[in-house]
Amino acid sequence: MTAPRARRASAANKDGASPASGHGSVELRMPDAEEDELGGVDLLRSSLRAAAQQLGWRAESFAMVGTQHGTMVGVVDRRDVPAPFAEAHQPVPQKGWQSSYVIPWRPELYRFDGFGFPLVFQLTPGTEAPAEMNIYFPDARSLCIAENATHTMHNILSPRGAQVRDAHSWSKYLTEAIQTFGKDTDVLFASHHWPMWNEEQGNERILEFLNKQRDMYGYLNDQALRMINAGSTGTEIAEQLQVLPSGLNDQRYNQGYHGSMSHNLKAVYQRYMGWYDGNPAHLWQLLPTKVGAAYVEAMGGAEAVVDTAQRAYDTDTADGFRWAAELLNHVIFAAAAEDGSPPAEPPVTRAKKLQAKVLTQLGYGSANGTWRNAYLTGAQEVVYGPQPLITSQTSADLIRSTSLEQYFSALARSVDGPAAAELHPVLIALNWVFTDADTGAETGEKCTTTLRNGVLIFMAGGDRFVETPQATIRLSRQALNELAETPGFKQSFEQALQDKKITLGGENAQEAADAVFGTLTIPDPKFPIVTP
């Protein structure tokens, strides 16, 4: 039998005490087949709970079987956050500053002394991440600059998709970091990058690095805005500003190996201007399939378009590859046009083969890793179709860490709005009452969800305007989490009812629950991108 893997997260106090002194958790993971060999889930839960209670924890246990990690059993300490951690939630006042922190006091700095050595935090929200922070280690005169300054240009907008980051704030917080830590930092390192040291005499090396990273993000932001104010679109800005000024571009760490200058300039445009560039010809464009069919017809048919693309490809230039990709994209999408006559299969097949070569050449020619991956993955899809996922879409850890509002907001995003609005024009209200997983007693936590107009609305505590809900659902938070761990919420709910993990009350409760959960959809992640 393989020993179960244990994961533990705990907060130690100033004396380095065990989880008994603070908020923490212990989790066991094992193959499902070994759960019975260890006495079953119930025995494991009760044993962990008993041990935690001996440590003085206000223990809450959980268990999940059949997850992507196998069987998971654990216990969580639900006591209030210990004092050292609570203090870290407030900026340090000037009178509370200590000489052991090395750097001079500045507003909005946070400290934590719970590990036996001091840490100083500078919060940098809205930079590389919505909740980013730099961490200074006074005893080592070392600064963790997070992802705010790395040995490459970073992304203002990740090509994978995300909210656009704020290049102005990024530059501003690097200025604050320089002013706060610059004179007292001998070692600088980032979360995903190698460290750098100052020379034996002086700290110019780290300061130069931080200053030029700061200036790079400021330049991207300010110059994009300058050109926006002069009437340029995102594409025009990216084509006109292809390199940084020599003082910045000369540095290896400012090159676009991860982030792209072209992509980042367009991102700044998107942040402030959105997708619409002001040209009404772009305000209400046709679908790619319709555009493709129209272009193919206007250019004399698919064979003619592919011939033109071949000539562009044969120029062996970046602009030739870009133009060929544009032309071939129209032929490929025209094949799925519902109106008119789609191109015959032979030229479409030829277009796909040539498009794979074009995208491959664009990928090989890109020093930017994310662009290269996008091009090469696109080339693969053109030939072989969308590839299946190699990882699960669900995460028990993530589900368990969500608040109720986050949980039901995620559920609302899976509602088929048009179908729900047509099938259920009258409001359907479900009350959710939460119980302790071990005792079955109500915990006092409640919420209401309502479905109407194709929208699922969540209200913590309950809806004041719903006097009689169609159904009252009683369950533990653990049971709620388990509903989302496998695809098919409605089927999981019905199974939990049969297993008596959930109880349902109300005259037409089953009908109401079926109506709401029947509107939930499961997206297929294997969808095409570069093919229709």
Side-chain angles (χ1 to χ4, degrees):
M1 181 182 71
T2 304
R5 290 181 297 163
R7 298 180 63 202
R8 173 182 168 196
S10 62
N13 65 12
K14 291 184 179 180
D15 300 320
S18 70
S21 65
H23 213 70
S25 66
V26 173
E27 179 182 298
L28 298 178
R29 294 182 178 181
M30 67 205 76
D32 291 328
E34 296 182 1
E35 169 237 321
D36 287 336
E37 298 180 40
L38 294 173
V41 166
D42 291 340
L43 176 61
L44 291 169
R45 288 183 66 182
S46 61
S47 299
L48 284 175
R49 191 165 57 250
Q53 288 170 348
Q54 289 181 359
L55 292 172
W57 288 22
R58 185 159 61 87
E60 177 182 315
S61 64
F62 61 87
M64 287 168 276
V65 180
T67 74
Q68 62 174 321
H69 303 294
T71 295
M72 302 168 60
V73 186
V75 63
V76 180
D77 182 8
R78 294 300 188 191
R79 290 174 297 165
D80 293 337
V81 177
F85 290 86
E87 291 173 2
H89 285 262
Q90 299 296 326
V92 183
Q94 188 169 8
K95 64 180 181 180
W97 201 250
Q98 301 177 19
S99 60
S100 60
Y101 299 149
V102 179
I103 60 174
W105 176 85
R106 290 176 66 89
E108 297 301 316
L109 291 178
Y110 296 72
R111 71 180 178 199
F112 179 66
D113 298 319
F115 295 137
F117 53 87
L119 298 174
V120 177
F121 300 89
Q122 175 205 6
L123 302 188
T124 62
T127 53
E128 188 274 336
E132 187 69 277
M133 61 183 175
N134 297 326
I135 309 172
Y136 184 67
F137 299 78
D139 291 355
R141 293 176 60 89
S142 298
L143 175 62
C144 173
I145 199 68
E147 292 293 291
N148 291 323
T150 60
H151 293 274
T152 181
M153 181 186 293
H154 215 305
N155 286 310
I156 304 301
L157 171 62
S158 297
R160 59 175 164 75
Q163 290 183 329
V164 181
R165 294 157 179 165
D166 187 347
H168 172 72
S169 290
W170 204 323
S171 177
K172 179 190 74 172
Y173 282 118
L174 279 175
T175 297
E176 288 189 10
I178 293 165
Q179 295 296 316
T180 302
F181 309 110
K183 286 188 175 182
D184 303 290
T185 296
D186 297 331
V187 180
L188 182 79
F189 61 97
S191 306
H192 296 153
H193 272 259
W194 54 89
M196 63 186 308
W197 292 264
N198 277 321
E199 304 296 339
E200 291 186 5
Q201 301 295 328
N203 58 351
E204 290 79 10
R205 186 164 179 252
I206 287 176
L207 284 176
E208 180 186 42
F209 170 74
L210 290 175
N211 274 282
K212 291 195 173 182
Q213 283 269 292
R214 182 268 316 276
D215 292 348
M216 175 182 65
Y217 294 116
Y219 184 88
L220 292 171
N221 182 82
D222 297 346
Q223 295 310 303
L225 287 173
R226 175 180 68 84
M227 297 185 71
I228 287 171
N229 290 333
S232 296
T233 66
T235 300
E236 291 167 344
I237 295 169
E239 289 299 302
Q240 293 178 55
L241 295 177
Q242 296 195 18
V243 294
L244 293 165
S246 59
L248 300 177
N249 196 55
D250 293 344
Q251 303 302 323
R252 170 188 46 77
Y253 48 72
N254 280 351
Q255 301 305 305
Y257 303 128
H258 179 62
S260 153
M261 186 164 179
S262 172
H263 201 89
N264 282 342
L265 289 167
K266 294 172 187 174
V268 176
Y269 183 94
Q270 180 179 325
R271 177 178 178 86
Y272 291 102
M273 303 302 291
W275 65 268
Y276 179 48
D277 64 3
N279 183 343
H282 302 151
L283 188 58
W284 189 26
Q285 292 178 288
L286 295 170
L287 288 172
T289 52
K290 289 187 175 183
V291 171
Y295 269 102
V296 168
E297 181 181 0
M299 295 180 69
E303 289 285 4
V305 178
V306 178
D307 287 342
T308 303
Q310 182 68 61
R311 289 192 294 272
Y313 175 79
D314 291 340
T315 65
D316 200 27
T317 63
D319 282 354
F321 295 147
R322 293 164 73 186
W323 177 230
E326 180 82 17
L327 292 171
L328 295 167
N329 189 62
H330 287 315
V331 177
I332 292 168
F333 274 83
E338 298 178 359
D339 301 333
S341 300
E345 184 58 33
V348 174
T349 300
R350 184 179 162 215
K352 288 183 176 180
K353 290 181 178 180
L354 182 55
Q355 183 73 308
K357 294 171 65 176
V358 169
L359 296 179
T360 298
Q361 288 303 314
L362 286 167
Y364 288 167
S366 177
N368 181 277
T370 49
W371 278 37
R372 181 169 61 252
N373 292 342
Y375 281 129
L376 297 181
T377 302
Q380 182 184 48
E381 182 189 321
V382 169
V383 177
Y384 301 107
Q387 299 301 296
L389 288 180
I390 60 174
T391 58
S392 171
Q393 285 186 287
T394 60
S395 167
D397 290 339
L398 177 62
I399 294 168
R400 197 166 63 244
S401 66
T402 59
S403 66
L404 286 179
E405 181 179 6
Q406 291 170 328
Y407 185 102
F408 285 104
S409 293
L411 209 62
R413 292 192 289 273
S414 69
V415 171
D416 183 341
E422 182 177 352
L423 291 171
H424 310 298
V426 178
L427 181 140
I428 303 175
L430 305 179
N431 270 8
W432 301 75
V433 178
F434 291 91
T435 60
D436 184 273
D438 298 315
T439 66
E442 293 186 8
T443 63
E445 190 171 28
K446 301 178 181 180
C447 67
T448 300
T449 57
T450 60
L451 178 69
R452 183 170 52 184
N453 299 323
V455 182
L456 186 70
I457 299 297
F458 164 84
M459 283 143 290
D463 189 328
R464 295 173 58 194
F465 297 95
V466 174
E467 295 182 0
T468 306
Q470 283 88 336
T472 296
I473 302 168
R474 286 182 168 81
L475 75 171
S476 66
R477 178 58 202 261
Q478 176 189 327
L480 181 70
N481 293 340
E482 292 173 356
L483 296 179
E485 286 179 19
T486 55
F489 191 95
K490 185 173 183 290
Q491 292 80 1
S492 298
F493 186 86
E494 292 171 352
Q495 185 62 51
L497 280 174
Q498 295 178 19
D499 297 341
K500 302 188 184 306
K501 294 181 179 180
I502 297 176
T503 61
L504 199 56
E507 186 175 348
N508 299 307
Q510 187 66 62
E511 180 182 350
D514 288 345
V516 173
F517 303 147
T519 68
L520 304 180
T521 60
I522 304 173
D524 181 1
K526 187 182 175 181
F527 51 80
I529 296 176
V530 300
T531 53

